[in-house]
Amino acid sequence: MTGRAAIATAHWRRLDQQGTDRCTLSQLDSGWILVGQAIWHDGSIDHCLTYDVRCDPDWHSLSADVGGEFGGRDIALRLHRTAEGWFLNDKLQENTADCIDLDLSFTPATNLLPLRRLGLRNTASAPVKAAWLKPDLASIAQLDQIYSCLSQELVRYSSTNFEADLQVHSSGFVTHYPELWEGWVDA
């Protein structure tokens, strides 16, 4: 294979406020990439962010770019992982050295990354240390998570003070995130 081959595209609508998200998963010669755009209206503020997340062939998150308009200001973020941890615009984020997965707080797309990497089957569970881009987009923190396979299409997601049963498409994209997102996948 040369270049990029699209595998699936997910489309979501927000359930907690006005908004949409669309993301395409593609295979690259060197691994995987998620490319998407999230648009939402929060109170009187509009947000429009594009994102791309790159992973190696084994689904280890390597880097991401996030850009657009957030809260009335232009955003241009570069996230990348080294042995020291995750960097946000060339600034090392503390306590992120053990974080293999990247979690962008504003989209359900990045749940796909640990789900594909772990390949959970038959009621298996696995802990994940995710590099979590916080909702204010100003820093990255370690977020301890647990993914538990309940069935072929249902996964329980748990993190600090939060738990939800996620419906998952065979591509790895979440199609229902209770009270937050619902969507469909073109594969």
Side-chain angles (χ1 to χ4, degrees), residues 8-23:
T9 299
H11 310 263
W12 298 280
R13 74 174 182 91
R14 289 189 74 136
L15 301 175
D16 61 334
Q17 55 192 300
Q18 292 180 341
T20 62
D21 194 345
R22 181 179 185 273
C23 182

Side-chain angles (χ1 to χ4, degrees), residues 81-93:
R81 183 169 60 96
T82 70
E84 297 173 82
W86 281 86
F87 283 76
L88 177 60
N89 289 347
D90 298 323
K91 182 178 180 194
L92 179 62
Q93 304 294 292

Side-chain angles (χ1 to χ4, degrees), residues 102-176:
L102 180 61
D103 185 333
L104 301 178
S105 59
F106 60 86
T107 177
T110 50
N111 289 104
L112 174 138
L113 305 173
L115 290 172
R116 291 292 294 250
R117 183 176 61 77
L118 296 168
L120 297 176
R121 303 276 185 262
N122 304 322
T123 68
S125 290
V128 168
K129 291 182 185 298
W132 181 51
L133 178 62
K134 292 183 176 183
D136 63 4
L137 308 184
S139 63
I140 299 172
Q142 178 178 302
L143 180 62
D144 294 329
Q145 305 171 332
I146 299 173
Y147 286 87
S148 304
C149 180
L150 302 178
S151 72
Q152 184 176 349
E153 299 166 347
L154 194 62
V155 172
R156 177 162 294 141
Y157 167 83
S158 303
S159 65
T160 309
N161 301 320
F162 184 79
E163 184 173 279
D165 291 347
L166 312 178
Q167 290 178 2
V168 180
H169 182 267
S170 60
S171 64
F173 279 121
V174 172
T175 56
H176 184 73

Side-chain angles (χ1 to χ4, degrees), residues 29-126:
D29 293 337
S30 59
W32 305 93
I33 189 167
L34 292 174
V35 177
Q37 181 180 40
I39 300 169
W40 72 101
H41 183 76
D42 182 11
S44 62
I45 302 170
D46 290 323
H47 310 281
C48 178
L49 296 174
T50 59
Y51 57 92
D52 54 86
V53 180
R54 289 163 292 284
C55 298
D56 70 13
D58 296 321
W59 295 98
H60 297 105
S61 298
L62 300 173
S63 65
D65 293 297
V66 176
E69 187 174 327
F70 180 76
R73 68 186 203 274
D74 290 337
I75 294 289
L77 305 176
R78 172 78 173 137
L79 299 79
H80 71 279
R81 183 169 60 96
T82 70
E84 297 173 82
W86 281 86
F87 283 76
L88 177 60
N89 289 347
D90 298 323
K91 182 178 180 194
L92 179 62
Q93 304 294 292
E94 292 183 26
N95 302 316
T96 59
D98 295 332
C99 299
I100 293 173
D101 298 297
L102 180 61
D103 185 333
L104 301 178
S105 59
F106 60 86
T107 177
T110 50
N111 289 104
L112 174 138
L113 305 173
L115 290 172
R116 291 292 294 250
R117 183 176 61 77
L118 296 168
L120 297 176
R121 303 276 185 262
N122 304 322
T123 68
S125 290

